[in-house]
Amino acid sequence: MEVSTIITMVIVLGIVWGGLILLLLRAINYEKHKSQDGEN
Amino acid sequence: MKQQEFFSSRWALIIATVGIAVGTGNIWRFSRIVAQNGGGSFLIPWVIFLLIWSVPLIIAEFGIGKSARLGPVGAITKTAGSKFAWMGAFVVFVSTAIMFYYSVVTGWCLRYFIASVSGDLLKVDDHLTYWNNFASSYEPLLFHFIAISFVAFVILRGVKKGIEKATKILVPSLLIILIILFFRAITLPDAIEGIKYFFTPDWNVVLDSKVWLNALTQNAWDTGAGWGLILTYAIYMRKKEDVPLNAVLIGFGNNTISIIAGITIFSTVFALSSVDAMNQVTQSGPANTGLTFIYLPILFNKISGSEAVNMFFASIFFLALFFAAVTSLMSMVELSTRTLIDFGLNRKRAIGIITITGFLLGIPSALDITFLANQDWVWGVGLILSGAFIAFAIRRYGIDKFRTEVINGLGTDIKIGKWYNYIIGILIPIQVVVLVSWWLISSVSWDPEWWNPFHAENAGTVIFQWTIVLTILIVFNKYIADKTLNTDSVE
């Protein structure tokens, strides 16, 4: 596999998939806190 | 009117909104556009536009819908002022015009799912003739009717019992199917060649303006940013619901699904195609149907030696397409319905009118694929204008005020910084101006008779149809504004 292919893969998947996982974890965390505080 | 219906939780809202964003465009349009624009070289601008076009506009739609609690006409009028009700009406018109033919496309997916389950599709020798026979028959009309009636039935039950319940089943099912197809595709021999093509940049086209234009339009298309659909679902957000985190999640979630679909299709095509794989991916066919309805069915026959296994994969692929289409269609019908509710009609009557009108005005697209391609072209480009109108509404309201009071207001989990002001105030208008100017200039070379309004896909037909619609809406602006703002909606 060419270096440029690997770099593109890392950038695209890192931003999109990595970003999604990070955001999902944050949302789950906020929801957990909200339900503990009885806000939901 | 006191708001009566809300999505029951954050996850219900996210699932429903992902249902809007994930449509057939993520599955068939995305792969074709990637192939036509140099594989990996397309993906870089596509990710950039996710960040500077789609995400800011999704945040804007969530904010406007949540604060105004009205459909796009009323919400934009409330945000930008009553002189600009026509802008909201244009947003509604564009999404409604897309709904007319999208229902036909949803019907195609259902028809192909039935043909796969019955085994008929895998017995076909010539898929182009099979498609042409289907497209020129009255069957698309029947399936268009079934698609829009099914969606009307769901919407009639309301937000919680209808949209929320349906999307809670359809969206997770769609994701499961896509993941099954993804793993099957990447484990095919030579699938790696497809993945390589998908991610390898072609440096000759990286700075080509056409690639960047396609990256922006594809992003606007597949995230649903600027359509007014997310704005409509945001009406039903709970008061203490977060705006920015949910919005960013939907943008990223949608693009994640596009990548999964892209890898699946490229792996399958490269692994199973005995001829030039790339030609097959880039060939559009009538109304861009080539890859999905003509070429992929051929490949499903080659997945394994077992007819039952091939039938299973073909069936779940078309089922996924149908689910993706139907959840997006649902939001389009809800947008039009909500607009009529804001005009004073009750939900039942509004749905009745929208379903009958949607069915009747979808007939030309069901019977004539050139007409469908024309509408897809005219109103697909119209989405860029819709996005610009939404950004303009926030400018009129005051971007900083909107950011601090609405986006970062009650219930927010994360705060959006000042960068948002620059994107909405400067970057989005620049993108619109550059894009529309570039498109107008280059469209002259696409069609020597670029001015002719009766050609299917040129500048003339877009300018002609936009002018008619915008003129009517501007003339009736005062009526539209008064009717929306002074009517007590009855849910």
Side-chain angles (χ1 to χ4, degrees):
Chain A
M1 211 181 266
E2 286 174 36
V3 178
S4 59
T5 311
I6 297 168
I7 292 173
T8 313
M9 203 183 252
V10 170
I11 293 174
V12 173
L13 296 184
I15 294 177
V16 180
W17 289 8
L20 178 72
I21 292 167
L22 217 80
L23 293 164
L24 263 176
L25 289 175
R26 282 190 85 165
I28 291 167
N29 198 28
Y30 284 123
E31 283 307 295
K32 217 164 109 184
H33 281 296
K34 280 180 192 169
S35 55
Q36 277 168 359
D37 298 342
E39 282 182 41
N40 271 339
Chain B
M1 182 199 77
K2 198 176 179 314
Q3 179 82 22
Q4 289 172 336
E5 278 212 283
F6 295 96
F7 283 109
S8 61
S9 68
R10 164 182 233 151
W11 305 115
L13 171 75
I14 289 177
I15 288 170
T17 323
V18 165
I20 298 176
V22 179
T24 54
N26 298 63
I27 300 171
W28 87 46
R29 193 178 191 274
F30 176 70
S31 306
R32 183 175 54 82
I33 299 287
V34 172
Q36 287 171 341
N37 290 277
S41 11
F42 170 85
L43 294 177
I44 304 283
W46 177 73
V47 171
I48 293 174
F49 286 123
L50 166 70
L51 304 174
I52 63 171
W53 176 273
S54 299
V55 166
L57 281 177
I58 296 174
I59 294 175
E61 286 203 38
F62 264 125
I64 295 176
K66 185 187 175 190
S67 64
R69 302 286 176 187
L70 287 167
V73 179
I76 288 180
T77 310
K78 246 182 159 179
T79 313
S82 54
K83 273 194 285 182
F84 302 99
W86 61 272
M87 286 189 175
F90 184 80
V91 172
V92 170
F93 189 91
V94 170
S95 290
T96 308
I98 291 175
M99 181 258 282
F100 298 149
Y101 70 81
Y102 202 80
S103 170
V104 175
V105 174
T106 309
W108 293 349
C109 301
L110 178 63
R111 166 67 174 74
Y112 266 65
F113 165 65
I114 293 170
S116 307
V117 172
S118 66
D120 285 354
L121 194 65
L122 299 181
K123 288 180 195 142
V124 173
D125 291 324
D126 181 354
H127 282 273
L128 178 62
T129 309
Y130 182 78
W131 164 259
N132 285 338
N133 288 342
F134 162 65
S136 58
S137 70
Y138 284 96
E139 274 189 81
L141 197 60
L142 171 70
F143 283 94
H144 160 51
F145 176 76
I146 295 170
I148 203 159
S149 305
F150 171 71
V151 166
F153 172 74
V154 173
I155 302 285
L156 190 62
R157 297 172 64 87
V159 174
K160 218 168 173 176
K161 287 183 186 162
I163 297 171
E164 183 176 321
K165 219 171 167 181
T167 50
K168 268 183 175 170
I169 299 167
L170 296 173
V171 174
S173 310
L174 166 67
L175 294 180
I176 293 168
I177 295 173
L178 283 178
I179 290 167
I180 295 172
L181 289 168
F182 174 78
F183 282 107
R184 174 65 273 210
I186 59 167
T187 49
L188 287 168
D190 289 332
I192 191 71
E193 293 307 317
I195 298 172
K196 269 190 209 166
Y197 183 87
F198 187 67
F199 285 106
T200 303
D202 176 354
W203 298 113
N204 295 321
V205 298
V206 152
L207 293 176
D208 185 342
S209 54
K210 202 171 182 179
V211 172
W212 286 75
L213 172 77
N214 280 320
L216 173 49
T217 43
Q218 177 59 28
N219 228 300
W221 246 104
D222 70 13
T223 54
W227 292 51
L229 301 171
I230 293 171
L231 187 158
T232 306
Y233 277 13
I235 299 170
Y236 310 110
M237 284 169 93
R238 295 173 304 175
K239 277 179 196 151
K240 283 188 177 176
E241 197 70 84
D242 160 274
V243 166
L245 185 55
N246 287 341
V248 187
L249 250 172
I250 285 147
F252 277 69
N254 172 77
N255 279 29
T256 293
I257 292 168
S258 287
I259 293 174
I260 290 175
I263 294 175
T264 306
I265 288 184
F266 276 81
S267 302
T268 311
V269 171
F270 274 79
L272 302 176
S273 181
S274 53
V275 288
D276 180 13
M278 280 328 301
N279 271 343
Q280 302 299 337
V281 183
T282 51
Q283 263 173 15
S284 292
N288 304 324
T289 50
L291 175 66
T292 313
F293 295 103
I294 299 161
Y295 191 59
L296 280 178
I298 302 173
L299 294 188
F300 284 125
N301 250 338
K302 299 182 187 172
I303 283 189
S304 76
S306 156
E307 201 179 298
V309 172
N310 297 349
M311 208 166 101
F312 169 75
F313 283 109
S315 304
I316 62 168
F317 173 77
F318 285 108
L319 186 64
L321 262 185
F322 175 65
F323 284 175
V326 94
T327 48
S328 302
L329 182 64
M330 231 176 254
S331 64
M332 294 177 204
V333 174
E334 174 62 23
L335 177 143
S336 317
T337 301
R338 179 68 206 202
T339 305
L340 291 189
I341 291 173
D342 291 343
F343 270 62
L345 269 67
N346 65 39
R347 177 170 280 272
K348 208 172 167 183
R349 210 160 155 219
I351 292 170
I353 292 170
I354 295 301
T355 310
I356 294 168
T357 314
F359 173 68
L360 293 176
L361 295 181
I363 291 175
S365 296
L367 298 179
D368 180 4
I369 209 158
T370 314
F371 185 85
L372 187 149
N374 170 264
Q375 291 300 290
D376 186 28
W377 166 245
V378 172
W379 304 115
V381 183
L383 288 174
I384 295 167
L385 213 54
S386 289
F389 289 164
I390 288 172
F392 175 83
I394 298 176
R395 261 185 96 111
R396 286 275 309 172
Y397 182 83
I399 306 173
D400 205 52
K401 192 176 160 201
F402 184 80
R403 182 178 64 84
T404 49
E405 291 176 8
V406 180
I407 300 174
N408 293 341
L410 188 66
T412 190
D413 286 334
I414 53 171
K415 300 267 185 202
I416 291 291
K418 276 205 163 167
W419 57 265
Y420 188 77
N421 301 11
Y422 301 114
I423 292 188
I424 292 288
I426 301 167
L427 272 182
I428 297 239
I430 289 176
Q431 290 174 79
V432 172
V433 171
V434 170
L435 207 71
V436 174
S437 318
W438 176 88
W439 168 77
L440 275 173
I441 293 162
S442 46
S443 64
V444 174
S445 62
W446 297 336
D447 180 358
E449 285 188 37
W450 63 269
W451 45 266
N452 190 333
F454 301 107
H455 282 198
E457 291 177 54
N458 69 354
T461 188
V462 173
I463 295 166
F464 178 67
Q465 294 186 55
W466 282 13
T467 307
I468 292 175
V469 171
L470 284 169
T471 308
I472 293 170
L473 297 179
I474 291 169
V475 167
F476 286 98
N477 182 70
K478 196 177 175 313
Y479 172 79
I480 297 168
D482 290 348
K483 189 86 182 153
T484 316
L485 294 184
N486 302 327
T487 303
D488 200 20
S489 313
V490 227
E491 266 281 15

